[in-house]
């Protein structure tokens, strides 16, 4: 059983959700059929009582609405940046660590919708910015969208380990970001800068001259290090990246690390850092295959110790998933 569990929707306008109707609420023991109260991570309101007051049914679900694409620009041949005009309420809701939305070309059926992380949410003009990497049928189709787009949200579970990030004040955060995963990391940097933190960002240049988010991180006042992180011939961390990490650890007292890359990269980075300092806390970009975003379809589930996690809305400690005991492959 995971030692840390939370539901990102608990206590919000979307709680209780459909999982309460089916006896699978992540937090409330009574809505899971127990006869006693043993809720996890109290959020200031009783989910069971909210369910009772709502006539013993779940609250409203998120639905698609049409918004205007203010700007659509190809950053590279496989990366598209969208600026989308939303309303003030949604812009505020998406101005949060881990926020994401489902996007869909208005001309396509609903099963073409795909989850996309929020890179920026501008509260002055109520515009959000997302970056889409063209890798498959859904994203190719999204790239064909014109001046209108269908959007469903807000969702907030795009980053795991949020409890460690949100509690960091007047400290130093190290972000290691690769590819399009730099987009959700930018929102983390923005929020933690407001809490007096120094942000060190290692950006993997990959097969390009620089990461698309470099200017935005620089504008926030982050310290940027361009580096190639992974040796693909044996899928391990490159020596130059390991050397940079060692130098940074001598200079800064990191308490929290954000890994923004693939799950394989999370595993490489977390295990490398943990062997030198097992007091480090980790946050990771959520790479779960999110299809419904409501914990219903099961496509995003991760398994540990024979227990399943609904990663689209359930928070866990990334160290419990990615840190491997010595000898375990």
């Amino acid at each position: 059983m995971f030692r840390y569990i939370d539901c990102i929707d608990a206590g919000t306008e979307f709680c209780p959700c459909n999982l309460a109707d089916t006896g699978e609420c992540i937090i409330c023991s009574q809505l899971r059929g127990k006869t006693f109260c043993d809720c996890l991570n109290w959020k200031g309101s009783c989910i069971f009582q909210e369910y009772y007051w709502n006539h013993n049914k779940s609250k409203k679900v998120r639905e698609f609405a049409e918004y205007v694409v203010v700007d659509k620009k190809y950053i590279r041949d496989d990366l598209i940046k969208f600026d989308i005009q939303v309303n003030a309420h949604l812009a505020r809701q998406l101005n949060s660590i881990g926020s994401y939305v489902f996007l869909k070309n208005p001309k396509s059926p609903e099963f073409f919708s795909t989850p996309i992380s929020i890179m920026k949410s501008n509260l002055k003009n109520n515009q959000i910015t997302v970056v889409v990497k063209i890798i498959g049928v859904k994203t190719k189709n999204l790239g064909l969208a014109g001046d209108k787009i269908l959007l469903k949200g807000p969702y907030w579970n795009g980053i795991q380990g949020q409890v460690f990030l949100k509690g960091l004040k007047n400290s130093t955060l190290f972000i290691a970001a690769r590819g399009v995963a730099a987009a959700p990391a930018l929102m983390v940097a923005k929020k933690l800068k407001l809490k007096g933190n120094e942000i060190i960002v290692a950006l993997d240049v990959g097969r390009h001259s620089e990461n698309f988010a470099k200017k935005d991180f620089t504008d926030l006042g982050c310290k940027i290090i361009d580096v190639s992180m992974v040796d693909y011939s044996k899928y391990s961390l490159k020596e130059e990246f390991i050397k940079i990490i060692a130098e940074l650890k001598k200079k800064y007292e990191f308490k929290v690390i954000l890994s923004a890359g693939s799950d394989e990269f999370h595993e490489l980075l977390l295990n490398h850092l943990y062997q030198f300092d097992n007091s480090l806390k980790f946050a990771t970009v959520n790479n779960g295959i999110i299809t419904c975003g409501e914990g219903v379809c099961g496509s995003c589930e991760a398994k540990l110790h024979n227990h399943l996690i609904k990663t689209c809305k359930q928070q866990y400690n990334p160290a419990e998933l990615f840190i491997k005991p010595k000898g375990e492959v």
Side-chain angles (χ1 to χ4, degrees):
M1 183 66 182
F2 279 77
R3 290 184 290 274
Y4 176 77
I5 291 176
D6 199 2
C7 176
I8 204 72
D9 285 339
T12 71
E13 64 188 273
F14 306 106
C15 173
C17 68
N18 289 294
L19 297 182
D21 295 328
T22 57
E24 296 187 42
C25 179
I26 293 168
I27 301 297
C28 176
S29 57
Q30 295 190 81
L31 288 174
R32 292 199 305 274
K34 306 295 183 183
T35 57
F36 56 91
C37 179
D38 187 24
C39 71
L40 304 167
N41 295 314
W42 170 254
K43 293 289 185 66
S45 65
C46 174
I47 299 174
F48 183 76
Q49 189 173 54
E50 290 288 332
Y51 192 75
Y52 176 77
W53 283 347
N54 201 45
H55 308 290
N56 292 313
K57 60 183 178 62
S58 56
K59 291 188 177 177
K60 66 176 182 179
V61 296
R62 302 159 173 98
E63 296 181 344
F64 276 105
E66 189 173 85
Y67 293 94
V68 173
V69 176
V70 178
D71 190 39
K72 173 185 165 185
K73 181 185 302 178
Y74 276 83
I75 303 173
R76 294 188 330 224
D77 57 346
D78 61 343
L79 280 184
I80 310 175
K81 182 167 76 70
F82 289 90
D83 291 325
I84 303 170
Q85 188 72 48
V86 299
N87 58 52
H89 181 59
L90 185 57
R92 285 195 300 274
Q93 289 180 311
L94 294 174
N95 186 35
S96 178
I97 290 174
S99 57
Y100 71 94
V101 294
F102 281 86
L103 293 180
K104 189 178 80 65
N105 187 329
K107 297 179 180 177
S108 303
E110 183 157 345
F111 53 76
F112 272 75
S113 68
T114 188
I116 303 293
S117 290
I118 302 299
M119 182 175 176
K120 293 187 284 188
S121 181
N122 188 329
L123 301 185
K124 293 181 179 177
N125 59 13
N126 301 322
Q127 290 182 10
I128 60 170
T129 301
V130 300
V131 174
V132 178
K133 184 173 183 181
I134 308 299
I135 55 175
V137 175
K138 291 183 178 180
T139 47
K140 283 180 183 176
N141 185 264
L142 195 56
L144 299 176
D147 59 351
K148 300 286 179 62
I149 201 161
L150 291 183
L151 182 154
K152 182 170 66 171
Y155 298 86
W156 297 289
N157 219 35
I159 301 280
Q160 291 289 353
Q162 293 188 27
V163 65
F164 306 125
L165 295 170
K166 292 176 178 177
L168 201 64
K169 295 178 181 177
N170 302 315
S171 186
T172 307
L173 173 71
F174 176 53
I175 297 175
R178 307 187 69 231
V180 75
L186 185 71
M187 181 68 80
V188 173
K190 173 187 172 185
K191 291 296 182 181
L192 267 64
K193 267 289 182 183
L194 295 175
K195 294 184 175 181
N197 294 291
E198 186 172 8
I199 315 287
I200 314 298
V201 185
L203 284 175
D204 196 328
V205 295
R207 57 190 171 93
H208 301 277
S209 57
E210 67 177 33
N211 188 284
F212 68 91
K214 182 176 180 178
K215 182 179 184 306
D216 292 292
F217 280 113
T218 303
D219 290 345
L220 287 176
C222 302
K223 178 178 173 56
I224 308 296
I225 301 168
D226 290 318
V227 59
S228 182
M229 300 179 185
V230 177
D231 182 346
Y232 291 100
S233 65
K234 46 189 177 182
Y235 209 82
S236 61
L237 298 181
K238 280 190 171 180
E239 285 302 318
E240 64 173 303
F241 184 43
I242 291 174
K243 185 178 178 182
I244 287 172
I245 291 173
E247 291 172 351
L248 290 173
K249 281 181 62 61
K250 289 179 183 176
K251 188 174 181 181
Y252 301 99
E253 187 178 353
F254 298 120
K255 292 183 172 61
V256 182
I257 311 290
L258 171 63
S259 175
S262 65
D263 282 357
E264 292 80 8
F265 179 69
H266 296 337
E267 190 170 315
L268 285 175
L269 182 65
L270 269 59
N271 282 280
H272 175 74
L273 291 164
Y274 189 78
Q275 66 180 321
F276 300 110
D277 185 354
N278 61 13
S279 69
L280 284 172
K281 304 298 182 187
F282 298 100
T284 53
V285 168
N286 184 356
N287 294 307
I289 301 173
I290 296 174
T291 304
C292 72
E294 302 292 346
V296 174
C297 72
S299 65
C300 69
E301 287 182 342
K303 188 175 184 180
L304 186 65
H305 307 319
N306 294 320
H307 290 275
L308 293 174
I309 311 167
K310 302 175 187 299
T311 65
C312 66
K313 65 190 304 172
Q314 190 168 334
Q315 281 280 295
Y316 60 83
N317 180 355
E320 294 184 64
L321 190 63
F322 294 109
I323 300 292
K324 303 298 182 186
K326 287 185 177 179
E328 184 176 328
V329 179

